[in-house]
């Protein structure tokens, strides 16, 4: 037979055919000999590999080890094509063939062996009896000496472990040859990998039995979890398992469980121990009850007791895929049947929604920094997005539909589509994306047989992936484009999957797909956290029904917004508020267009409506304010001077009608309250900034109302106004620490103009003060600002307005210690600025006495504080949870700061401030308070202030105590940034902060 004519192979031609290094390829082909160089079929198969250079390199090493390989290839072209395909993808499997060329006959079959044949093959490899799975002292198949008869008692891997690895990788190579040439589907490959893992576990258990005395005293079942349990395993993955054991008849249970534990440990070691042939994979038992902290092996009764009482939702989600894979399969089947009864009731559990949200956060948290955009498993649009959505839908609807109870993702997705829970087109898109991503995952792991889910950035690696998927024109570009397209589609469908069918259930949509029944829609809404699903369906129907443009846009918006409402603390309130705002603004052309086109606005609106009744109420009276949600810049606190100018202009426009003028000012205040609340809930400003913004806003409002009242009284008197007036802010307003629920504590002072009768001036000033209070408290859609003048001399029994001379006479003769303490917060806030400065100068010696206050005064202040604690705390209030008067609360911290000021501010100018935290910081800076104590007091004050504001925001009404009802407490914790499961952490954090603060109060204030 004449030799085939030699083909002239040049580096350039080889490079054009697909080799990255044409010169090296030419040299390696030459080294293979004339027959290889002239074999066009061999060259074609090399060029067809994902990485021709890698395939040729591995082939060269194999021929060097066993020159007969080329003859085998010529005799069996199918074997050559399949093996070179693997060589072009997997350097690790190529290395295995080079080390074990004797494995080639085992992969010449195209048929994959049945599970029973695989099991027999692996057991024989480790020297175990295929009929009993018990160890026998016989040599392993293919001449590899196993060693159950000579077990490894020191933990050093024995020959049985090496034999197991060789046999396993031979079959892995066989499967890979079928995979890379397209002879089996992804589902078939994944199932074969799972079967191969299960028989390897069985063989590893046989190795363990040879090492454990009394192994026959216990029934041990190995339950496959995760991808192994679902028969959708990767090439390289941790194999998740759970162990369940029962003693044989007559054997003590404790002893049997100890034996089973040694068997399980031995089995895990047989798989994961490092040998000259490497390791198989890690056997991960962390999905067992109590995770790493729980016993490795439990009895059936112990498992069920845990799942009935302690298990979280994610544990039932994991049990969706439970399947007996090794050991006592009958016991395993009993276990799976028993836990399945619990799995399909998980969606009815009280904390199902919180657990679901926790699972979502855990998935996102597991993405390493810098990998999110290249992670095909955990990143956005990755495999976990698909798996999570499918499993959650199974848990929700599988309670009533047994056809959804599938382990594998693709079969479960198909069942969801057939049942109408997922649209056919959506299911098809998800299945295509899942298949693509799993294929990429397989190729990534095949390369080095390492567990990875990160798409590499290197061009050569991307080229190998693209070519492995059949992309030959532009492998890198085609692969990247396809990958990103699938990721975007998965993310979109992940967000849509739960919500679009809800619209179908209640609205006439142009869909040909099966619709959710009302019962199924109700179940889905319940699972997503809606406590009134029937009401939610009515709101959805009202928003989406009809053929108007408005309804069409709502049908586009709602699938995503329902998800955002579900993520908010109160989804029902969010959806109701959205319907109410939409009803008010539905005919406004810009509203729905803004929400549709500006995702950030719609998402922020959903969060606010689902968190705060206070914000919802403000929006309903001024729905056009939705426009300010467009950007953080729109929510920035506006300067006081700008607000003052706007308020003055509003008063000027309505100079003839006082009530209309102040109504305009109160509308401005409502808008700015909304701006501040939205910025607060969005985390754009902290609690100190909130207090300053609200206080400045109140100053502007009081100034405008005062101007309006003066103008009205002047018109009524038909004479010039006879006095100057100033409003002195007190309490939290004076300290620039106002809350959303704060009244405005003030004092009114006036000074008659030259030539004016004091009696006439006082009457006019009194009329203005009363009118100011009345105008700001009138019933109106806008929140009132109650003016409280109770801190004035003689309290409510004294005159509402005094001259500055009257204040001086009173304070010189009658001022008490509590009045001096109250004046620590006094500052000018409205009216005549010069008069305000005169008043502040008047009270300076009283609140900042030159030599400090006397010891008697200190005792009186302490007695007053103790009496307040005993008498003013509401009868039913828990002192540990009352933010104002409770232990370590606002009052405790403020009195510490004020006592330090009364004692030392006369000599220490830095203490002369109306603000609590500034006073504490100054005291620490001047050595009057330990810095550690200052930090403890400040943290407690800030925490309590945040809670008081959050109570108003969440409930829409003022409160001072952390609520007792669980639902209200959960909503409050969520508004403060705690996760759904963090309510008890929130309460404990507050108790801890105030407990530490109270200890400082006892030591510093009471000197105890």
């Amino acid at each position: 037979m004449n030799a085939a004519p030699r083909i002239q192979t040049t580096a350039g031609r080889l490079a054009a055919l697909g080799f990255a290094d044409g010169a090296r390829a030419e040299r390696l082909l030459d080294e293979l000999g004339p027959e290889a160089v002239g074999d066009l079929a061999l060259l074609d198969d090399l060029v067809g590999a994902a990485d021709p250079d890698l395939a040729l390199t591995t082939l060269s090493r194999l021929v060097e080890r066993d020159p007969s390989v080329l003859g085998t290839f010529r005799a069996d072209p199918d074997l050559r094509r399949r093996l070179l395909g693997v060589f072009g993808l997997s350097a690790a499997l190529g290395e295995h063939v080079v080390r074990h060329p004797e494995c080639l006959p085992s992969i010449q079959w195209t048929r994959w062996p049945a599970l029973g044949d695989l099991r027999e093959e692996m057991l024989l490899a480790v020297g175990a009896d295929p009929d009993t799975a018990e160890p026998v002292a016989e040599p392993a198949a293919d001449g590899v000496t196993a060693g159950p008869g000579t077990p490894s008692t020191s933990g050093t891997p024995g020959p049985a472990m090496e034999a197991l690895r060789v046999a396993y990788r031979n079959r892995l190579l066989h499967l890979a040859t079928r995979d890379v040439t397209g002879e089996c589907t992804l589902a078939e490959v994944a199932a074969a990998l799972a079967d191969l893992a299960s028989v390897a576990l069985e063989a590893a258990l046989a190795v363990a039995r040879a090492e454990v005395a009394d192994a026959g005293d216990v029934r041990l079942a190995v339950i496959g979890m995760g991808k192994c349990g679902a028969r959708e395993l990767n090439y390289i993955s941790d194999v998740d398992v759970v162990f369940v054991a029962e003693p044989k008849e007559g054997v003590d249970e404790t002893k049997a469980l100890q034996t089973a534990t040694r068997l399980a440990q031995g089995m895990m070691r047989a798989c994961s121990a490092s040998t000259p042939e490497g390791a198989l994979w890690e056997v991960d038992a962390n999905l067992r009850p109590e995770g790493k902290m729980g016993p490795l092996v439990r009895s059936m009764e112990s498992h069920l007791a845990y799942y009935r009482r302690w298990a979280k939702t994610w544990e039932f989600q994991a049990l969706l895929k439970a399947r007996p894979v090794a050991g006592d399969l009958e016991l395993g089947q009993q276990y799976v049947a028993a836990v399945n009864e619990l799995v399909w009731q998980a969606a009815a559990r009280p904390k199902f929604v919180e657990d679901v949200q926790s699972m979502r956060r855990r998935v996102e948290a597991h993405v390493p920094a810098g990998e999110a955009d290249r992670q095909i498993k955990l990143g956005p649009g990755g495999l976990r997005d698909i798996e999570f959505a499918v499993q959650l839908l199974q848990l929700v609807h599988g309670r009533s539909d047994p056809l959804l109870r599938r382990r594998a993702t693709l079969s479960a997705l198909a069942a969801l589509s057939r049942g109408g829970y997922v649209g056919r087109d959506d299911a098809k898109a998800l299945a295509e994306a899942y298949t693509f991503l799993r294929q990429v995952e397989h190729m990534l792991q095949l390369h080095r047989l390492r567990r990875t889910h990160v798409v590499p950035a290197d061009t050569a690696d991307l080229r190998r992936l693209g070519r492995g998927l059949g992309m030959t024109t532009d492998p890198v570009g085609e692969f990247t484009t396809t990958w990103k397209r699938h990721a975007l589609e998965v993310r979109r469908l992940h967000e849509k999957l739960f919500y679009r069918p809800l619209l179908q259930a209640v609205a006439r949509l142009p869909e040909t797909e099966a619709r959710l029944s009302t019962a199924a829609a109700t179940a889905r809404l319940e699972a997503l956290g809606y406590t009134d699903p029937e009401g939610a369906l009515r709101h959805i129907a009202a928003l989406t029904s009809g053929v108007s443009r408005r309804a069409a846009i709502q049908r586009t918006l709602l699938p995503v917004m329902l998800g955002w409402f579900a993520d908010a603390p109160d989804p029902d309130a969010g959806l109701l508020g959205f319907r109410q705002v939409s009803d008010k603004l539905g005919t406004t052309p810009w509203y729905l267009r803004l929400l549709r086109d500006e995702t950030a606005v719609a998402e922020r609106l959903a969060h606010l409506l689902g968190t705060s009744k206070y914000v919802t109420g403000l929006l309903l009276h001024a729905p056009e304010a939705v426009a300010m949600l467009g950007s953080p810049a729109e929510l920035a606190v506006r300067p006081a001077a700008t607000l003052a100018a706007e308020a003055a202009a509003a008063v000027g426009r309505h100079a003839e009608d006082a009530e209309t003028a102040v109504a305009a000012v109160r509308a401005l205040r409502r808008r700015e309250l909304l701006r501040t609340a939205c910025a607060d809930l969005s985390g754009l400003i902290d609690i100190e900034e909130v207090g300053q913004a609200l206080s400045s806003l109140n100053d502007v409002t009081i100034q405008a109302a005062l101007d309006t009242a003066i103008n009205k009284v002047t018109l009524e008197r038909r004479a010039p106004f006879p006095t100057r007036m100033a409003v002195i802010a007190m309490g939290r307003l004076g300290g620039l620490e106002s809350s959303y629920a704060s009244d405005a504590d003030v004092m009114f002072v006036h000074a008659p103009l030259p030539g004016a009768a004091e009696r006439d001036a006082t009457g006019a000033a009194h009329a203005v003060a009363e009118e100011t209070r009345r105008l700001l408290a009138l019933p109106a859609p806008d929140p009132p600002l109650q003016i409280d003048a109770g801190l004035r001399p003689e309290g409510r029994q004294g005159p509402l307005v005094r001259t500055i001379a009257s204040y001086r006479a009173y304070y010189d003769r009658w001022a008490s210690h509590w009045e001096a303490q109250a004046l620590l917060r006094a500052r000018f806030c409205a009216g005549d600025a010069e008069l305000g400065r005169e008043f502040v100068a008047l009270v300076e010696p009283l609140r900042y006495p030159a030599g400090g206050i006397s010891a008697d005064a200190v005792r009186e202040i302490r007695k007053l504080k103790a009496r307040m604690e005993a008498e003013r705390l509401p009868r039913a209030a828990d002192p540990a949870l009352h933010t104002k008067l409770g232990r370590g609360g606002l009052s405790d911290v403020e009195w510490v700061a004020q006592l330090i000021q009364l004692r030392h501010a006369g000599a220490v100018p830095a203490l002369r401030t109306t603000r609590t935290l500034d006073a504490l910081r100054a005291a620490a800076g001047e050595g009057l308070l330990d810095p550690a104590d200052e930090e403890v007091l400040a943290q407690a004050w800030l925490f309590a202030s945040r809670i008081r504001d959050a109570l108003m925001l969440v409930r829409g009404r003022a409160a001072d105590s952390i609520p007792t009802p669980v639902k209200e407490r959960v909503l409050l914790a969520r508004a403060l940034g705690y996760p759904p499961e963090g309510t008890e952490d929130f309460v404990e954090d507050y108790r801890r902060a105030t407990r530490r603060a109270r200890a400082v109060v006892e030591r510093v204030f009471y000197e105890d």
Side-chain angles (χ1 to χ4, degrees), residues 970-982:
V970 169
L971 295 179
L972 177 62
R974 293 286 306 278
L976 290 166
Y978 284 82
E981 68 277 11

Side-chain angles (χ1 to χ4, degrees), residues 711-841:
N711 184 60
K712 180 180 179 182
V713 169
T714 300
L715 291 174
E716 290 174 347
R717 287 167 49 88
R718 298 183 180 180
F721 194 64
T723 188
R724 295 181 298 146
M725 283 193 71
V727 182
I728 306 302
M730 303 288 285
R732 300 187 75 80
L733 177 61
L736 294 170
E737 298 161 354
S738 293
S739 69
Y740 296 103
S742 291
D743 292 342
D745 290 312
V746 303
M747 294 194 299
F748 292 98
V749 59
H750 80 105
L753 294 173
E758 183 171 327
R759 184 173 181 179
D760 180 52
T762 299
H766 187 275
V768 166
E770 289 287 14
E771 181 66 5
T772 300
R773 298 171 72 185
R774 185 187 75 85
L775 290 170
L776 290 175
L778 282 173
D782 305 309
L785 179 59
Q786 301 291 346
I787 301 295
D788 187 345
L791 292 176
R792 64 186 184 269
E794 302 178 78
R796 301 187 187 282
Q797 303 303 313
L800 180 61
V801 185
R802 288 177 183 260
T803 65
I804 196 163
S806 175
Y807 276 108
R808 181 178 290 110
Y810 175 86
Y811 287 137
D812 285 346
R813 186 172 182 182
W814 304 108
S816 62
H817 301 308
W818 76 262
E819 287 177 303
Q821 184 177 350
L823 287 168
L824 287 167
R825 300 271 193 116
R827 69 172 178 83
F828 166 75
C829 76
D832 188 290
E834 183 180 350
L835 180 58
R837 286 192 292 271
E838 289 178 33
F839 181 89
V840 170

Side-chain angles (χ1 to χ4, degrees), residues 321-618:
K321 299 184 179 294
R323 176 177 67 93
V325 293
D328 191 315
L329 297 183
E330 181 182 353
L331 176 61
Q333 291 289 2
Q334 294 170 3
Y335 173 87
V336 171
V339 298
N340 272 346
E341 295 181 10
L342 304 175
V343 166
W344 299 111
Q345 298 305 316
R349 292 159 58 88
K351 289 193 174 183
F352 179 78
V353 177
E354 290 86 342
D355 289 340
V356 167
Q357 292 169 329
S358 177
M359 282 187 287
R360 287 175 63 179
R361 283 190 298 275
R362 186 183 295 119
V363 167
E364 293 170 2
H366 275 71
V367 181
E371 286 188 6
D373 61 338
R374 307 195 74 80
Q375 259 270 0
I376 60 170
K377 180 179 180 181
L378 303 178
L383 289 163
R384 192 65 88 226
D385 271 359
I386 302 172
E387 294 163 352
F388 184 89
V390 168
Q391 291 163 22
L392 199 53
L393 285 173
Q394 285 181 276
L395 286 172
V396 171
H397 298 295
R399 297 165 60 191
S400 56
D401 189 347
L403 295 177
L404 302 182
R405 300 177 184 181
R406 311 297 180 91
R407 294 189 181 97
T409 301
L410 289 177
S411 61
L413 183 57
L416 287 165
S417 178
R418 285 192 297 271
Y421 304 100
V422 178
R424 286 193 296 270
D425 291 341
D426 291 348
K428 180 181 178 183
L430 285 172
E432 289 176 354
Y434 185 79
T435 300
F436 174 84
L437 292 172
R438 287 296 306 274
Q439 287 174 332
V440 173
E441 182 182 44
H442 281 184
M443 285 191 286
L444 287 172
Q445 296 177 350
L446 268 174
H447 185 50
R448 299 288 182 190
L449 286 186
R450 291 176 184 166
R451 186 171 178 265
T452 180
H453 307 95
V454 179
V455 175
D458 182 73
T459 302
D461 291 328
L462 292 174
R463 180 173 179 269
R464 183 181 67 253
L465 290 174
R467 285 175 58 91
L469 290 166
M471 303 169 181
T472 56
T473 304
D474 176 15
V476 175
E478 289 181 57
F479 167 75
T480 303
T481 300
T482 305
W483 168 38
K484 296 299 183 184
R485 174 172 57 79
H486 280 304
L488 287 172
E489 183 70 357
V490 167
R491 196 60 173 178
R492 182 185 71 82
L493 292 174
H494 174 76
E495 293 172 346
K496 164 188 171 181
L497 207 52
F498 287 95
Y499 308 107
R500 181 70 178 179
L502 294 171
L503 274 62
Q504 291 176 278
V506 298
R508 293 178 175 274
L509 300 182
E511 299 280 354
T512 59
E513 300 162 355
R515 298 169 182 240
L516 288 182
S517 66
T518 301
T522 299
R524 188 173 295 193
L525 284 165
E526 283 179 343
L528 293 165
Y530 291 83
T531 57
D532 180 16
E534 290 84 2
L537 287 173
R538 289 194 298 271
H539 298 323
I540 294 169
L543 288 164
T544 60
S545 294
V547 295
S548 66
R549 182 172 180 274
R550 171 188 173 187
I553 296 177
Q554 289 284 19
R555 289 195 289 267
T556 301
L557 285 171
L558 269 180
V560 177
M561 293 200 70
L562 284 169
W564 289 330
F565 292 136
D567 288 337
D570 192 342
D572 298 86
L575 181 55
L576 171 61
F578 180 66
R579 179 184 174 184
Q580 292 171 327
V581 172
S582 295
D583 286 345
K584 294 229 174 191
L585 285 176
T587 57
T588 306
W590 57 264
Y591 167 63
L592 290 176
R593 185 170 64 245
L594 174 69
L595 297 186
R596 181 193 63 197
D597 298 340
E598 299 291 339
T599 304
V601 177
E603 184 172 9
R604 186 171 284 128
L605 177 64
H607 170 70
L608 294 169
L609 293 175
T611 302
S612 173
K613 290 183 179 178
Y614 182 78
V615 167
T616 302
L618 293 175

Side-chain angles (χ1 to χ4, degrees), residues 68-407:
S68 69
V69 165
L70 289 176
T72 303
F73 279 2
R74 280 194 298 274
D76 191 342
D78 285 340
L79 172 65
R80 178 190 63 218
R81 176 176 56 86
R82 288 189 284 122
L83 198 60
L84 290 179
V86 172
F87 286 175
L89 269 178
S90 179
L93 286 177
E95 178 66 30
H96 176 77
V97 176
V98 170
R99 285 202 316 274
H100 299 283
E102 69 278 1
C103 73
L104 290 182
S106 67
I107 62 170
Q108 287 181 295
W109 317 325
T110 57
R111 182 184 61 83
W112 182 250
L115 181 61
D117 294 335
L118 275 177
R119 179 178 178 276
E120 180 177 351
E121 181 180 317
M122 291 298 160
L123 287 171
L124 286 173
V126 298
D129 185 341
D131 294 327
T132 64
E134 295 294 327
V136 293
E138 295 292 338
D142 299 326
V144 180
T145 303
T150 56
S152 169
T153 57
S154 65
T156 303
M161 293 188 191
E162 291 187 39
L164 173 60
R165 283 147 178 73
V166 172
Y168 178 87
R169 290 225 168 78
N170 285 348
R171 279 301 167 205
L172 197 67
L173 174 67
H174 177 198
L175 179 61
T177 61
R178 303 184 71 240
D179 183 9
V180 299
T181 53
E183 295 171 29
C184 51
T185 65
L186 171 71
E188 291 169 336
V189 171
L193 285 166
D195 290 345
L196 187 56
S198 69
V199 298
L201 289 171
E202 188 71 72
L205 187 57
V207 173
R209 286 194 183 100
E211 301 180 356
V212 175
D214 303 322
D217 290 348
V218 64
R219 300 171 66 197
L220 176 65
V222 184
I223 309 299
M225 306 285 281
K227 285 184 164 56
C228 181
R231 296 186 77 229
E232 51 184 10
L233 199 62
N234 302 331
Y235 274 98
I236 291 295
S237 175
D238 289 353
V239 174
D240 296 307
V241 300
V242 167
F243 296 103
V244 59
E246 293 292 332
K248 293 282 185 71
E249 186 174 351
V251 178
D252 177 72
E253 181 175 312
T254 301
K255 180 186 176 188
L257 289 176
Q258 291 172 346
T259 301
T261 299
R262 291 195 298 274
L263 280 173
Q265 291 169 337
M267 188 202 81
M268 295 170 73
R269 185 170 59 252
C271 294
S272 61
S274 179
T275 74
E277 292 295 335
L280 294 182
W281 13 253
E282 291 292 324
V283 179
D284 188 343
N286 291 338
L287 291 178
R288 66 185 184 268
E290 300 180 81
K292 293 180 180 179
M293 307 304 294
L296 182 62
V297 182
R298 289 177 183 255
S299 67
M300 175 89 76
E301 182 181 352
S302 177
H303 273 282
L304 295 177
Y306 172 85
Y307 287 127
R308 287 176 181 137
R309 186 170 183 183
W310 303 111
K312 293 183 171 59
T313 301
W314 70 263
E315 292 178 279
F316 292 110
Q317 184 175 352
L319 285 169
L320 275 173
K321 299 184 179 294
R323 176 177 67 93
V325 293
D328 191 315
L329 297 183
E330 181 182 353
L331 176 61
Q333 291 289 2
Q334 294 170 3
Y335 173 87
V336 171
V339 298
N340 272 346
E341 295 181 10
L342 304 175
V343 166
W344 299 111
Q345 298 305 316
R349 292 159 58 88
K351 289 193 174 183
F352 179 78
V353 177
E354 290 86 342
D355 289 340
V356 167
Q357 292 169 329
S358 177
M359 282 187 287
R360 287 175 63 179
R361 283 190 298 275
R362 186 183 295 119
V363 167
E364 293 170 2
H366 275 71
V367 181
E371 286 188 6
D373 61 338
R374 307 195 74 80
Q375 259 270 0
I376 60 170
K377 180 179 180 181
L378 303 178
L383 289 163
R384 192 65 88 226
D385 271 359
I386 302 172
E387 294 163 352
F388 184 89
V390 168
Q391 291 163 22
L392 199 53
L393 285 173
Q394 285 181 276
L395 286 172
V396 171
H397 298 295
R399 297 165 60 191
S400 56
D401 189 347
L403 295 177
L404 302 182
R405 300 177 184 181
R406 311 297 180 91
R407 294 189 181 97

Side-chain angles (χ1 to χ4, degrees), residues 704-1006:
L706 183 69
D707 291 343
T708 303
I710 290 174
N711 184 60
K712 180 180 179 182
V713 169
T714 300
L715 291 174
E716 290 174 347
R717 287 167 49 88
R718 298 183 180 180
F721 194 64
T723 188
R724 295 181 298 146
M725 283 193 71
V727 182
I728 306 302
M730 303 288 285
R732 300 187 75 80
L733 177 61
L736 294 170
E737 298 161 354
S738 293
S739 69
Y740 296 103
S742 291
D743 292 342
D745 290 312
V746 303
M747 294 194 299
F748 292 98
V749 59
H750 80 105
L753 294 173
E758 183 171 327
R759 184 173 181 179
D760 180 52
T762 299
H766 187 275
V768 166
E770 289 287 14
E771 181 66 5
T772 300
R773 298 171 72 185
R774 185 187 75 85
L775 290 170
L776 290 175
L778 282 173
D782 305 309
L785 179 59
Q786 301 291 346
I787 301 295
D788 187 345
L791 292 176
R792 64 186 184 269
E794 302 178 78
R796 301 187 187 282
Q797 303 303 313
L800 180 61
V801 185
R802 288 177 183 260
T803 65
I804 196 163
S806 175
Y807 276 108
R808 181 178 290 110
Y810 175 86
Y811 287 137
D812 285 346
R813 186 172 182 182
W814 304 108
S816 62
H817 301 308
W818 76 262
E819 287 177 303
Q821 184 177 350
L823 287 168
L824 287 167
R825 300 271 193 116
R827 69 172 178 83
F828 166 75
C829 76
D832 188 290
E834 183 180 350
L835 180 58
R837 286 192 292 271
E838 289 178 33
F839 181 89
V840 170
L842 166 67
V843 301
E844 290 283 289
L846 184 61
R847 61 180 177 175
Y848 306 140
I853 57 175
S854 67
D856 288 341
V858 171
R859 281 194 293 273
E860 287 298 318
I861 290 171
R862 288 172 178 159
K863 287 180 182 179
L864 178 60
K865 176 71 167 68
R867 188 163 67 249
M868 285 178 55
E869 291 177 10
E871 298 174 0
R872 290 186 58 187
L873 190 71
R875 182 174 299 176
D878 182 347
L881 299 179
H882 197 279
T883 61
K884 183 177 180 181
L885 300 175
R887 295 189 292 268
L890 296 170
S891 179
D892 268 4
V893 177
E894 289 164 0
W895 281 59
V896 170
Q898 290 160 15
L899 182 59
I900 293 173
Q901 287 180 290
L902 288 170
R903 299 177 79 175
H904 301 288
V908 182
L911 289 171
R912 298 173 190 174
T913 174
T914 63
R915 308 189 68 175
T916 302
L917 295 187
D918 285 352
L920 291 174
R921 291 166 186 145
E926 296 292 336
L928 300 172
L929 181 66
D930 188 290
D933 290 343
E934 181 270 325
E935 183 178 356
V936 167
L937 292 172
Q939 287 179 350
W941 190 91
L942 289 168
F943 204 166
S945 296
R946 288 179 61 218
I947 291 172
R948 285 188 83 201
D949 274 2
L951 282 165
M952 182 66 178
L953 290 171
V954 169
R955 303 171 70 180
R957 61 183 188 276
D960 290 318
S961 284
I962 294 175
T964 301
V966 173
K967 180 178 179 181
E968 290 188 25
R969 191 172 280 190
V970 169
L971 295 179
L972 177 62
R974 293 286 306 278
L976 290 166
Y978 284 82
E981 68 277 11
T983 303
E984 293 308 313
D985 291 338
F986 151 62
V987 176
E988 184 53 38
D989 287 349
Y990 180 72
R991 289 181 184 274
R992 185 185 304 110
T994 52
R995 190 165 56 244
R996 295 174 64 204
R998 182 64 183 189
V1000 175
V1001 172
E1002 298 283 356
R1003 179 161 36 81
V1004 175
F1005 182 83
Y1006 289 109

